Amino acid sequence: MEPTQDIRAKFGRFRILVLGRANAGKTTLLQRICNTTEKPEIFDREGNKIDPAVVQGTVNRGDHNIENELVFRSNRDFVFHDSCGFESGGEDEFTKMKKFVLDRASTTKLKERIHAIWYCIPMDESHRAITKAEERFFSECDTSDVPVIAVFTKFDALWDDAYGQLKSSGLTRRECSIRAPERAKEIFANAKIWDRLRETKYPPKDSVCVAGEMEKDNANCEPLLESTTSTLGEEQMQMLLISTQQTNMALCIKYAVE
């Protein structure tokens, strides 16, 4: 196995494109992955730091730059890119996002390649989980060897729906609380959201349901890291991610043994 330091020297930091509509819980998810509550620092492609106020101003004007890099001080070995725009239906933003994916998936500059894509879909709006944005992305965007993970955020919103159903059936509050997580999974399965995504032309490689409040200790992002690692096609990329993440020791042990 190639030493981790050699892999990092060759490929640089682990780079992820994060997609999803506004209020999908993207920022808090990334904060949890990087074990912080701070906002990320923002850099341009050349590595120059950008004032967040300037970035917010461009976003408000509808001029978001997907090339900008989001880096958390708690873990600078992760680099995130935010699509921020095409989900609202803008043709120009969709074209930019698609070009970014194609360019960064195949660039010969290895340190600029994206290694994974997380598409965040919030479950607090489960009735419109799959909008035209999701349909278009998964039917038109060939991400080549870059795996796409469908991340169903705010999954605990379904717990509330499940609790209400169970309560109306006559169960006690305690019984409802115990059974709500499993009933939530049934509600999700019956909605066939994952089934619809798997039937698209370019389906995601895997899916992960993220429950719990991201800013609290009950949030569990380990399944997302495990899913991303398993869908990476190359051992070098797996080792790059494993050496980058700092929150899942079991993942490190698992791949060290294997």
Side-chain angles (χ1 to χ4, degrees):
M1 183 182 298
E2 190 174 352
T4 300
Q5 59 267 30
D6 292 345
I7 294 174
R8 192 170 297 283
K10 181 178 181 180
F11 295 99
R13 297 175 291 176
F14 197 85
R15 193 176 295 270
I16 301 172
L17 171 60
V18 185
L19 306 177
R21 72 199 73 159
N23 300 316
K26 292 179 291 184
T27 300
T28 46
L29 175 67
L30 301 186
Q31 288 172 328
R32 190 62 183 172
I33 289 290
C34 294
N35 196 27
T36 185
T37 57
E38 296 182 353
K39 296 291 185 182
E41 295 177 327
I42 305 173
F43 301 86
D44 63 19
R45 189 168 184 171
E46 285 69 43
N48 301 307
K49 191 172 183 179
I50 305 174
D51 185 343
V54 174
V55 175
Q56 187 58 50
T58 61
V59 171
N60 291 339
R61 294 193 300 271
D63 186 23
H64 174 79
N65 191 347
I66 196 173
E67 297 281 354
N68 288 343
E69 302 177 348
L70 281 62
V71 179
F72 291 91
R73 287 186 293 179
S74 60
N75 191 339
R76 294 185 178 278
D77 290 329
F78 271 122
V79 178
F80 301 102
H81 294 270
D82 185 359
S83 63
C84 190
F86 88 89
E87 298 85 2
S88 62
E91 182 64 33
D92 186 51
E93 289 298 330
F94 183 85
T95 301
K96 289 179 181 178
M97 179 277 299
K98 190 173 180 179
K99 183 178 185 302
F100 176 85
V101 170
L102 292 173
D103 290 347
R104 292 299 189 100
S106 59
T107 178
T108 56
K109 297 179 180 178
L110 298 182
K111 293 185 178 181
E112 293 189 1
R113 282 188 182 178
I114 53 172
H115 304 115
I117 298 174
W118 292 345
Y119 201 120
C120 297
I121 301 175
M123 287 295 97
D124 59 344
E125 296 182 321
S126 59
H127 60 285
R128 57 183 297 269
I130 300 180
T131 65
K132 289 183 178 180
E134 284 77 34
E135 291 176 349
R136 188 172 186 189
F137 176 83
F138 290 109
S139 64
E140 296 184 26
C141 291
D142 181 0
T143 62
S144 188
D145 294 328
V146 179
V148 180
I149 312 298
V151 187
F152 298 106
T153 58
K154 303 183 180 181
F155 196 78
D156 43 315
L158 293 183
W159 293 357
D160 296 336
D161 296 340
Y163 184 94
Q165 290 182 10
L166 293 167
K167 194 73 174 65
S168 63
S169 70
L171 296 179
T172 65
R173 291 182 178 180
R174 184 173 182 278
E175 290 173 326
C176 291
S177 297
I178 293 173
R179 297 188 185 186
E182 284 303 315
R183 176 58 66 88
K185 292 178 182 178
E186 293 176 9
I187 294 174
F188 178 75
N190 291 336
K192 299 188 181 301
I193 298 170
W194 176 231
D195 292 340
R196 290 174 61 189
L197 291 179
R198 286 191 297 180
E199 292 170 356
T200 56
K201 185 175 181 178
Y202 302 110
K205 294 292 185 183
D206 198 7
S207 68
V208 173
C209 298
V210 180
E213 297 179 59
M214 285 293 102
E215 69 274 12
K216 295 185 178 180
D217 290 337
N218 69 333
N220 182 12
C221 290
E222 291 184 1
L224 176 55
L225 291 170
E226 293 170 1
S227 172
T228 305
T229 303
S230 66
T231 56
L232 292 169
E234 301 178 27
E235 184 181 54
Q236 289 179 321
M237 294 299 96
Q238 292 178 330
M239 297 312 301
L240 181 62
L241 174 55
I242 291 168
S243 65
T244 297
Q245 65 86 30
Q246 301 172 357
T247 59
N248 191 339
M249 187 58 64
L251 186 64
C252 298
I253 296 173
K254 175 184 176 182
Y255 280 86
V257 172
E258 294 180 354

